[in-house]
Amino acid sequence: MAADLLGPAEIRELAARLGVAPTKRLGQNFVHDPNTVRRIVAAAGLTVADVALEVGPGLGSLTLGLLAFAGHVHAVEIDPVLAGALPETVDRHAGPTVAGRLTVHQADALRITAAQLGDPAPTALVANLPYNVAVPVVLHLLAELPSLRHGLVMVQKEVADRLTAGPGSRTYGIPSVKLAWYADARSAGRVPPNVFWPVPNVDSGLVAFTRREPPRADVPRKRVFAVIDAAFAQRRKTLRAALAGWAGGPDRAAEALVAAGVDPGARGESLTVGQFAAIAASAPVTASTAE
């Protein structure tokens, strides 16, 4: 790689110089192992045609790796000190030409918009995501940025298992189905705790995804997601009972399920995202299903 990647000594020196101490509130665990950075970037499959979006770049470990392959990198950092220091770090370790391909946004990734990111539009999400907001960040960015075509995120191993689970799995739930609305996802490996500072008390996992068209174009996403939320809010109940509040009563729920070709006695964990979309399309439009 062209960039001089950050190791443990560089990470700690940089943090001390900036007066930065990782906080649980922001879910900060900084990667300090260059081999892990290389592994993430390689698994992401970036090319010079890609515009990478990184959330939570922190001290810049992964940012330097991304800039070695992607044509441009948008880095979204909520911490103003870290956001302000990132361009200088990249300039120092990779040079001014590479630093010119970095745009830093001091912003909350849960609220950032396509207009705020501007041009060039991101095509790949590659990030070490804060554990406490990983799922909502991924779902928000996929909804907000239709230009995102693929990605690789590092999250808590338990979250990775949920995002990549299939129907019938013990870990299959709302994150699994909602991510499946946007993309095909798969596990891309495990990451041990000792590559982070501070060391977390859990393993991390890599989740790779490739965007595809939603399973149906004739029903709004918000309406499908309302069905998913209702189905898993009481996952031990049958869908006839779990969807009663959403559909306007158990009988109306059963009618929608039968019309969608789904057994009213089934449970949410057995359904694909396409089946959830079929249920949403089959139900009569009421106050609770209109969106």
Side-chain angles (χ1 to χ4, degrees):
M1 287 188 177
D4 178 18
L5 299 181
L6 304 178
E10 290 86 359
I11 287 288
R12 290 181 180 274
E13 184 276 330
L14 181 56
R17 179 158 50 84
L18 296 175
V20 168
T23 70
K24 286 188 177 181
R25 181 179 63 84
L26 296 179
Q28 291 172 325
N29 295 91
F30 302 131
V31 180
H32 62 56
D33 177 51
N35 285 332
T36 298
V37 170
R38 294 185 183 100
R39 177 187 170 194
I40 292 170
V41 174
L46 297 175
T47 71
V48 70
D50 274 308
V51 177
L53 172 60
E54 184 185 10
V55 173
L59 295 166
S61 305
L62 181 56
T63 313
L64 288 164
L66 294 175
L67 283 164
F69 289 90
H72 195 89
V73 173
H74 290 282
V76 179
E77 175 57 62
I78 196 170
D79 186 316
V81 174
L82 293 175
L86 189 57
E88 180 186 346
T89 299
V90 172
D91 187 19
R92 180 182 305 158
H93 290 269
T97 301
V98 173
R101 294 189 283 108
L102 170 69
T103 304
V104 179
H105 308 266
Q106 199 266 298
D108 183 348
L110 282 169
R111 293 178 173 84
I112 200 159
T113 65
Q116 286 175 290
L117 288 171
D119 293 325
T123 63
L125 172 63
V126 188
N128 168 27
L129 292 176
Y131 288 169
N132 53 348
V133 294
V135 171
V137 163
V138 170
L139 296 178
H140 167 70
L141 293 174
L142 283 168
E144 176 64 27
L145 302 172
S147 60
L148 284 178
R149 307 314 306 166
H150 65 110
L152 184 90
V153 294
M154 182 159 57
V155 295
Q156 185 174 336
K157 181 64 169 59
E158 180 183 352
V159 175
D161 291 342
R162 291 176 183 169
L163 287 171
T164 57
S169 166
R170 180 179 57 83
T171 53
Y172 187 68
I174 290 174
S176 325
V177 191
K178 289 185 177 180
L179 179 56
W181 172 265
Y182 298 104
D184 292 316
R186 62 178 176 81
S187 172
R190 183 187 295 260
V191 179
N194 61 359
V195 304
F196 298 96
W197 173 67
V199 178
N201 57 9
V202 294
D203 283 358
S204 296
L206 299 175
V207 175
F209 67 85
T210 304
R211 191 190 280 268
R212 54 171 172 72
E213 291 300 313
R216 291 183 69 138
D218 61 337
V219 58
R221 170 178 53 83
K222 287 185 178 180
R223 192 173 180 191
V224 179
F225 281 16
V227 178
I228 296 167
D229 289 336
F232 285 99
Q234 305 174 77
R235 62 185 299 155
R236 291 191 177 186
K237 289 190 174 183
T238 65
L239 287 168
R240 181 182 188 277
L243 297 182
W246 167 81
D251 290 342
R252 297 185 74 173
E255 290 173 10
L257 289 160
V258 171
V262 175
D263 178 2
R267 289 177 170 78
E269 63 241 33
S270 67
L271 270 59
T272 66
V273 66
Q275 288 174 302
F276 280 111
I279 296 167
S282 298
V285 177
T286 67
S288 61
T289 64
E291 284 194 315

